[in-house]
Amino acid sequence: MDVRAAARQMRTLIEPVHDVTYFTPAGRAAFEEVGLKGFWRGYFAGRAAPIGPAGPGPVIASFFVFAPGMVRRALPAVWAIASPATVLRARQAGAAAGLRELTGTGQAASAAPASLDPASVVPGSLDPASVDSAAIATAADQLLAAITELDAAGRTLAASNLELPVPDEPAARLWHAATVLREYRGDGHVAALLAADLDGAEALVLRVGVDLVPDGASHVTPSWGRDQTQPARGWTDGEWDAAVQRLADRGLLTASGTATPRGVSFHREIEEATDLAAARPWARLGQAATADLARALAPIARACTAVMPYPNPVGLPPPDGQRQAS
């Protein structure tokens, strides 16, 4: 079993399930209903709530690629609007409702609130796919097996989510397990970036620079460019340009921000390290069980991609690996 390849494949199936909390009207409306108006309040509160009523420090550290000033505008102020416990209930309810909507296993969600951040509005249809409730329950139970006795040492966001109670309802249970594994990989990615001596801004400018290489890079799917990434992560022009200059001084980018051949290879090594850091759950689950899980998740993940833009901020490939722009 090629554990790195398995980790990379499972990422493409798990990330869309987790992302329903951000990209579905139901997921966003749930945060609005507890007073978290605007996309970013819901995002920061929802993702940070498993840690507890944290100030900006732990979130700047664990989210990694967001400018500190952007985090400080949200935290700790969001906890005066809704407690972490309230946010966690809203997050679970909204994500499960969005998942049921997209898979055709529940009631349609309400329309997206008009006050959403424009970056969160995505094109496409919310017409549900055909996935029955039994398939959701089966996939949830199989994915839970991957997080049973999961060692999350050194992984703040994965460990915090792992400590939460496992929901009884199948869609919520599936989303919970997907979120633990999504954050498990994300925590490992941060470790890989740190080991590569990159800070948050540098990680972003390198990723953008890789996509600027003529004919693209074979190891990643195109993500957002600077025009979308920089404001969505809160960095100023000066901070972004300084990060480009630092990586240009290391021979990883050109002065204009395009990755050099060395930069592309450097980024590929980071992605390979991330895959390896995410591989233990699948190595422990085994080849046959991982393959069974991939088959169970495939139609659900496909349904969840209906609300995602392409390219997207997480560099997730569209269905069937076709490269397209939204």
Side-chain angles (χ1 to χ4, degrees), residues 89-304:
R89 287 192 294 270
R91 182 182 82 149
Q92 178 177 300
L99 189 54
R100 290 192 297 269
E101 174 191 4
L102 288 172
T103 56
T105 56
Q107 296 291 327
S110 58
S115 59
L116 286 175
D117 185 281
S120 71
V121 178
V122 294
S125 168
L126 285 179
D127 292 340
S130 178
V131 180
D132 62 33
S133 298
I136 296 288
T138 297
D141 290 342
Q142 288 179 303
L143 200 56
L144 275 174
I147 67 170
T148 301
E149 299 180 1
L150 182 68
D151 181 2
R155 301 177 194 252
T156 299
L157 292 174
S160 299
N161 280 278
L162 192 60
E163 285 291 300
L164 299 176
V166 176
D168 293 327
E169 194 275 325
R173 194 162 70 248
L174 175 62
W175 187 82
H176 167 75
T179 297
V180 169
L181 288 163
R182 189 268 172 219
E183 299 292 24
Y184 182 91
R185 180 184 176 91
D187 290 333
H189 185 54
V190 169
L193 292 168
L194 289 170
D197 192 24
L198 294 176
D199 62 26
E202 291 164 356
L204 292 174
V205 301
L206 179 62
R207 180 65 179 87
V208 169
V210 166
D211 283 343
L212 292 175
V213 173
D215 300 323
S218 61
H219 68 285
V220 288
T221 300
S223 184
W224 280 356
R226 176 177 180 172
D227 59 336
Q228 291 175 289
T229 300
Q230 182 186 332
R233 299 297 178 260
W235 300 98
T236 66
D237 286 342
E239 291 167 333
W240 188 278
D241 292 340
V244 170
Q245 185 60 56
R246 290 194 298 273
L247 295 195
D249 291 344
R250 293 171 63 178
L252 301 175
L253 297 179
T254 66
S256 64
T258 300
T260 62
R262 180 182 171 189
V264 172
S265 296
F266 186 77
H267 188 267
R268 182 181 292 108
E269 290 170 1
I270 293 170
E271 291 297 307
E272 290 172 350
T274 300
D275 291 338
L276 184 59
R280 283 196 176 194
W282 317 118
R284 187 166 54 85
L285 199 61
Q287 184 170 359
T290 299
D292 286 344
L293 174 57
R295 285 189 289 270
L297 283 175
I300 300 168
R302 179 179 295 277
C304 292

Side-chain angles (χ1 to χ4, degrees), residues 56 60 66-73 233-235 239:
I60 291 167
F66 286 88
M70 185 174 183
V71 178
R72 292 189 182 106
R73 285 193 291 274
R233 299 297 178 260
W235 300 98
E239 291 167 333

